[in-house]
Amino acid sequence: MPREKLLVLYQWALLLSTIGSSMQAFSASMDIVTRASLPVSITLAIAALLTYWPWAVFPLFGGILSDHFERRTIVRGAQVLLSLQSLLLACFHTEAAVLYIMGTTGGIIGALSNPAQLGLLRDLADEKYAQANAKISVYNQAGQIIGVTVGSLLFFQANLAEVAYIADAASYLPVIVVLGLLPKTMLTSMPTVAECTQTRPTLKEARTFLWQDATLKQVLILRLILAFGASGGYVAQRLLASDVFGGLKTYTWFTVINSAGVLIGSSIAARLFRKQQPSVRGVLTGAIGSLLLTVATGLSHSLPLTLAILLGGCIAYLYSSEHSTPLLVVKDGRLRERVAGLMQATTMICTIMCNLLIGLLTLVIGVLSTEIVLGASCLLIMGLYKARVRLREKSLT
């Protein structure tokens, strides 16, 4: 089967998988909040920590795993495990402890398989990686809009949250089938045990490589600052819905707007990359726009205005991300997955810190003031960093 057709099938399979996982994620988060015994902000901060911490640790090991085993086998195994987990949630989603545990185990599975999944897409898309990555983002966000809408109807209107978990379990099957169609000639051959022993790069080597490349280093730092200031939606948006805009049902609008914003941003990026290459300037422009709109969210007291601001913030965040992702792809196959795992881990640490900080600050100054403080602080940090980079560049010339 031609490479182009396989890529299209893979994209459609990911769309179905995203619809299912979005239904599951929405139902799980609503189950957690409605069964909270602690203040909602603390409950959400704990849930965010348990969900995200595996992504700060296990991508490092995922890169090593991807160096030693066939990437297709890793990804297919992860899909099977995630499907089984969703079936368990369908039976035990009324238990808060189960929701927390499954959030962590799902994160571990996803984090371990993510470097292999990135490498698999690189093999499948070849030189069209940037365009394929942007297009898959479009499919993912369309799937999230559908999944969240259906998940909300099942949870709030029909009281059938377990259906969302069952649908998620079934949604992994198309990806498993498509991966089985990939010929071995299309996949990067794995090194032998002897080659791994002789040439295996350490995490220290990957870190050194990352830090010595001026472009990689600058893009990564900008992305980390952006993640720390504008990736706290897990906690912030649920609090905005429940504390400011009348209840958890409003959160459905937030999730749909998020997906619509990323869908629009992905579409813009996909069109732009046909005519221009990703750039550090694009990363910076999107990051500044996203942080400014984070501040604007804290200044808004109107739901329609807040949703409009969130839409723009998602577009700006995605614009920055879609510029940074291709720039951070390492062509050296020996180092690619380990560097990707290292970058994923550091970005997720900032995301965890952002959500925890929002959960704690909200208890003191409220969610609106927290958004203002966090966005403005990161804008200042980003400005100081760019000023330092420019001064260093001038001194070298």
Side-chain angles (χ1 to χ4, degrees):
M1 188 179 295
R3 181 188 298 270
E4 293 77 11
K5 189 172 182 179
L6 284 171
L7 182 58
V8 170
L9 288 175
Y10 185 60
Q11 290 167 336
W12 280 104
L14 287 178
L15 173 62
L16 295 175
S17 178
T18 303
I19 291 173
S21 60
S22 298
M23 292 169 61
Q24 186 254 42
F26 183 90
S27 295
S29 66
M30 293 300 100
D31 274 328
I32 287 172
V33 173
T34 54
R35 289 169 173 76
S37 56
L38 297 172
V40 174
S41 63
I42 298 299
T43 298
L44 289 171
I46 294 172
L49 174 62
L50 293 175
T51 300
Y52 291 144
W53 79 263
W55 290 91
V57 177
F58 286 95
L60 303 175
F61 301 100
I64 297 172
L65 192 69
S66 182
D67 284 341
H68 286 78
F69 299 95
E70 187 184 53
R71 292 167 188 143
R72 176 173 55 181
T73 302
I74 296 171
V75 176
R76 291 179 76 182
Q79 301 292 299
V80 171
L81 291 174
L82 290 171
S83 181
L84 293 175
Q85 175 178 283
S86 293
L87 289 177
L88 288 174
L89 280 171
C91 300
F92 303 106
H93 67 93
T94 56
E95 302 294 331
V98 173
L99 291 167
Y100 286 134
I101 292 171
M102 291 301 179
T104 295
T105 56
I108 292 173
I109 295 168
L112 282 174
S113 62
N114 185 251
Q117 194 166 6
L118 292 174
L120 197 63
L121 177 60
R122 178 85 182 186
D123 289 340
L124 188 57
D126 200 21
E127 296 179 353
K128 297 181 179 179
Y129 175 78
Q131 294 91 332
N133 186 64
K135 191 172 183 179
I136 284 177
S137 295
V138 173
Y139 278 67
N140 284 344
Q141 301 316 312
Q144 286 190 30
I145 293 173
I146 298 170
V148 165
T149 303
V150 175
S152 175
L153 291 173
L154 290 172
F155 191 91
F156 289 117
Q157 305 300 326
N159 196 26
L160 292 173
E162 61 273 9
V163 174
Y165 299 118
I166 295 172
D168 183 42
S171 71
Y172 293 105
L173 297 178
V175 176
I176 295 172
V177 171
V178 172
L179 290 178
L181 298 175
L182 300 182
K184 285 191 175 182
T185 55
M186 195 175 292
L187 306 174
T188 301
S189 58
M190 305 312 297
T192 64
V193 174
E195 288 172 337
C196 286
T197 303
Q198 295 172 1
T199 65
R200 181 175 59 196
T202 63
L203 291 176
K204 182 179 180 180
E205 183 182 348
R207 183 186 63 197
T208 302
F209 176 85
L210 177 64
W211 212 245
Q212 288 178 346
D213 188 295
T215 300
L216 285 175
K217 179 180 177 181
Q218 186 175 169
V219 171
L220 178 60
I221 290 177
L222 290 174
R223 197 162 88 163
L224 294 182
I225 297 171
L226 176 60
F228 187 81
S231 63
Y234 188 100
V235 175
Q237 292 184 12
R238 290 165 176 82
L239 289 176
L240 285 170
S242 62
D243 296 353
V244 181
F245 296 117
L248 283 174
K249 287 187 178 181
T250 310
Y251 180 64
T252 303
W253 288 105
F254 283 82
T255 52
V256 170
I257 285 295
N258 287 338
S259 299
V262 179
L263 176 60
I264 294 170
S266 298
S267 300
I268 293 172
R271 288 181 175 273
L272 284 176
F273 292 158
R274 294 174 187 171
K275 301 178 180 179
Q276 65 180 56
Q277 293 297 315
S279 65
V280 176
R281 177 176 293 182
V283 177
L284 180 62
T285 301
I288 291 175
S290 182
L291 291 171
L292 284 172
L293 289 167
T294 298
V295 175
T297 302
L299 297 172
S300 172
H301 295 271
S302 164
L303 179 59
L305 179 58
T306 297
L307 293 176
I309 292 171
L310 287 176
L311 180 67
C314 288
I315 294 172
Y317 193 102
L318 202 283
Y319 184 82
S320 178
S321 177
E322 291 295 338
H323 271 269
S324 67
T325 299
L327 292 175
L328 293 172
V329 172
V330 178
K331 294 182 179 180
D332 184 346
R334 194 176 66 95
L335 281 167
R336 186 195 307 161
E337 272 68 45
R338 298 199 186 204
V339 172
L342 188 61
M343 292 186 296
Q344 177 69 55
T346 52
T347 302
M348 193 51 61
I349 288 172
C350 289
T351 299
I352 292 171
M353 293 174 64
C354 181
N355 281 280
L356 292 177
L357 188 58
I358 289 173
L360 295 173
L361 279 179
T362 297
L363 291 175
V364 181
I365 61 177
V367 64
L368 294 177
S369 297
T370 297
E371 290 283 272
I372 296 172
V373 169
L374 202 57
S377 299
C378 288
L379 275 172
L380 177 61
I381 293 170
M382 188 170 290
L384 292 174
Y385 172 71
K386 284 300 297 181
R388 179 186 175 188
V389 169
R390 291 189 176 182
L391 287 173
R392 181 176 296 178
E393 289 174 348
K394 287 183 178 180
S395 64
L396 293 176
T397 56

